[in-house]
Amino acid sequence: QMCEKFTVCENSMEMLIQNNLNLPKVTEEDGDLLTFLSFQDKCLRKISSGLYTFQTYLQFVQETFTSEKQNIESLCYTTEHLAHTVKQMVINPDEVIIPDSATQESLRAKLKSDKSWIEKITTHLILRDFTSFMEKTVRAVRYLKNTRSFGV
């Protein structure tokens, strides 16, 4: 929809230049380390922390992608719920990193731009990376569920 409504497409040069966002990621290395309980816990911590971090990015998307406000609100709510659920699965939930309000405000200020085009590109990058993060999260949770008696 972004590409159709705003002509923001993946091969845009501005998009490649602007891609300096520090979005959370689940890497291949995280998947390979899931064979031991401590590494499973590390993976769950990273997933939960990443979901909490994405909350701020998704709030930015909600502010800029107003034509999809209801869908983005739902996405924010379910992401927060999933982050909380995964946090409860961590051995020591206090180790899950949740950005404080000062960090969130700083990030929101960094994402803002006086150019609508830059905000649209940023929105596209956030949604693209969030999709990738969620795909890898689903794979990791499936792996955990299939390799251990892991209650999800």
Side-chain angles (χ1 to χ4, degrees), residues 24-106:
K25 296 192 180 346
V26 177
T27 63
E28 293 293 325
E29 179 181 295
D30 297 318
D32 293 340
L33 297 176
L34 294 175
T35 52
F36 302 101
L37 182 59
S38 63
F39 292 125
Q40 289 177 359
D41 192 62
K42 176 186 171 192
C43 184
L44 290 172
R45 275 194 320 267
K46 187 168 184 178
I47 289 170
S48 185
S49 295
L51 290 168
Y52 279 115
T53 299
F54 261 114
Q55 282 296 104
T56 305
Y57 289 102
L58 291 174
Q59 288 167 358
F60 170 80
V61 170
Q62 186 174 0
E63 293 167 11
T64 58
F65 199 17
T66 54
S67 64
E68 294 296 323
K69 184 177 180 183
Q70 207 167 17
N71 288 334
I72 303 298
E73 279 179 13
S74 176
L75 184 62
C76 288
Y77 173 79
T78 54
T79 300
E80 183 178 11
H81 180 72
L82 181 59
H84 180 71
T85 301
V86 174
K87 179 181 176 187
Q88 299 309 307
M89 298 162 76
V90 174
I91 293 169
N92 186 358
D94 293 335
E95 293 179 357
V96 171
I97 299 167
I98 302 173
D100 60 25
S101 58
T103 303
Q104 291 175 347
E105 194 55 43
S106 171

